[in-house]
Amino acid sequence: MPALSEVREPIIAVRAVTKQVADATGTLTILHEIDFELAPRESVAIVGASGSGKSTLLSIIAGLDVPSRGTVFLAGQDLFRLDEDARAELRARNVGFVFQSFQLLGNLTAIENVMLPLELMGRRDARAAAAEMLGRVGLAERLAHYPKVLSGGEQQRVALARAFVVHPQVLLADEPTGSLDYATGERVMELMFEMNRELGTTLVLVTHDRGIATRCDRQLRIEAGRIAGDTARAKDAGAASAAAVTPGA
């Protein structure tokens, strides 16, 4: 299996993905013939109304959900020709996740949460690497704290550190500021975009926030399970996103 860093364009290719489920009225189509590509280092916001299929699409891109038809290529690998173990291995080594609900383990400290993906990879430097990444997100003094004593912004920064500590080639984020107040959300997003640029990841971001969406290279608008628009950002737009981050949420 090739490393993602060796792969040329596209790094993600979604091919005619359709997702259907059975409900009381028959068959419900959540996604219909979704088709697009993403280049390495590109950032894309998936936008649309609640229930339009955004989060389902993100789960399929991650290989966490299975399409009814179509497929997704990640680093040239057809995700749905791999078994579950192989998909899990690909995710663990190359894909980072950030969720609205943080998804931290309450019985682990901040540093232990960030160490976890490294330990699963067998990294002997897991503690040192996790401590360094937490320092980079402004939490050097909070390593031994459990999630319950961290603010929402601090928990999301722990989640960012956990996502970026493996230096993923792809970052998938589902409403990462949805549980935060506006000011805290802005600081978290500044940090996400800064680290995304620094590490050269490909960012796929589901959001309802149009301000956040406009800072991505592209916006894919989903309506009733279909792509209703694919808009590229103007080259000179979003310059403010390059501002330095001052952690404090």
Side-chain angles (χ1 to χ4, degrees):
M1 181 181 299
L4 293 187
S5 58
E6 298 172 355
V7 176
R8 298 297 179 257
E9 300 182 10
I11 194 167
I12 296 172
V14 178
R15 301 297 191 208
V17 162
T18 294
K19 179 67 176 181
Q20 295 176 319
V21 296
D23 66 6
T25 63
T27 300
L28 174 65
T29 299
I30 300 173
L31 296 171
H32 183 77
E33 296 291 322
I34 301 293
D35 202 286
F36 65 92
E37 297 180 351
L38 294 177
R41 308 178 71 95
E42 189 173 13
S43 60
V44 62
I46 301 174
V47 300
S50 295
S52 59
K54 305 185 304 296
S55 293
T56 299
L57 176 57
L58 197 72
S59 293
I60 290 174
I61 292 171
L64 295 170
D65 197 359
V66 179
S68 303
R69 294 191 300 276
T71 195
V72 174
F73 290 87
L74 178 61
Q77 293 288 310
D78 185 336
L79 286 181
F80 302 106
R81 288 188 177 273
L82 302 175
D83 62 25
E84 290 186 12
D85 289 342
R87 287 202 301 270
E89 180 184 354
L90 187 65
R91 282 194 299 270
R93 295 188 176 277
N94 298 295
V95 181
F97 296 91
V98 180
F99 301 97
Q100 176 178 340
S101 57
F102 315 137
Q103 299 288 333
L104 301 179
L105 296 179
N107 62 327
L108 299 182
T109 63
I111 192 169
E112 289 168 343
N113 267 282
V114 179
M115 288 171 59
L116 187 58
L118 298 175
E119 290 179 324
L120 293 174
M121 294 167 59
R123 288 269 298 270
R124 295 185 176 183
D125 63 339
R127 179 168 292 274
E132 178 184 2
M133 187 60 69
L134 283 166
R136 292 173 68 181
V137 301
L139 294 176
E141 305 302 318
R142 308 288 270 171
L143 304 187
H145 289 71
Y146 289 91
K148 66 182 180 182
V149 299
L150 299 175
S151 70
E154 287 173 332
Q155 289 186 62
Q156 194 59 299
R157 284 190 276 140
V158 173
L160 280 178
R162 182 182 58 191
F164 279 112
V165 75
V166 297
H167 289 205
Q169 294 296 314
V170 175
L171 179 69
L172 305 177
D174 192 357
E175 298 287 359
T177 62
S179 298
L180 306 175
D181 63 78
Y182 177 79
T184 301
E186 281 292 296
R187 289 194 289 270
V188 166
M189 288 311 302
E190 287 286 352
L191 181 59
M192 178 180 290
F193 279 111
E194 179 188 28
M195 295 185 71
N196 190 65
R197 289 190 302 271
E198 180 182 338
L199 296 180
T201 58
T202 298
L203 172 63
V204 185
L205 171 67
V206 167
T207 183
H208 283 96
D209 190 318
R210 303 296 290 187
I212 292 173
T214 58
R215 294 166 64 177
C216 293
D217 298 324
R218 289 165 63 189
Q219 294 183 54
L220 291 178
R221 190 173 76 257
I222 306 295
E223 293 181 3
R226 300 173 183 265
I227 293 181
D230 185 348
T231 307
R233 184 182 63 177
K235 294 297 184 182
D236 59 349
S241 66
V245 177
T246 303

